Amino acid sequence: MKKQKSDILNCCKVQAIVPVDGRGQMVLPKEIREKADIKAGDKLAIVTGEQNGQVCLIALIKAEQLEETVESMLKVLGGQTRK
């Protein structure tokens, strides 16, 4: 079944609002880390989306899942597959 652009938006929701400290650091809440199976030492890729030259989306993806996740997102957004 082919996913539509709206499927990407339907999967997203606000899970938490976290403060950023003076050094630019923030804490991922425990519930989110557990649900995403993020553990100490894991590497996360930071993926951004821009609109009109401004970053409007910041996503964290486990590094080992990066290629698979990005390919899936591109298929949904562009309707094309990478060969």
Side-chain angles (χ1 to χ4, degrees):
M1 179 177 181
K2 186 176 177 179
K3 290 186 177 184
Q4 300 296 316
K5 289 181 184 182
S6 61
D7 290 343
I8 285 270
L9 299 177
N10 290 334
C11 77
C12 301
K13 58 185 168 184
V14 175
Q15 295 287 332
I17 296 177
V18 297
V20 178
D21 70 15
R23 294 180 10 184
Q25 297 177 330
M26 64 186 112
V27 175
L28 290 174
K30 181 180 180 182
E31 298 80 20
I32 294 172
R33 292 192 317 267
E34 288 175 346
K35 191 172 186 178
D37 194 31
I38 297 171
K39 296 179 176 56
D42 284 348
K43 295 190 183 288
L44 302 175
I46 299 172
V47 179
T48 61
E50 292 187 16
Q51 188 172 31
N52 300 322
Q54 299 253 340
V55 173
C56 61
L57 171 72
I58 300 172
L60 300 175
I61 302 170
K62 289 179 104 175
E64 68 263 13
Q65 298 171 337
L66 180 61
E67 183 176 358
E68 177 184 330
T69 301
V70 170
E71 283 184 357
S72 293
M73 291 171 71
L74 291 174
K75 285 178 189 175
V76 171
L77 294 173
Q80 299 178 352
T81 58
R82 188 179 120 195
K83 301 273 182 193

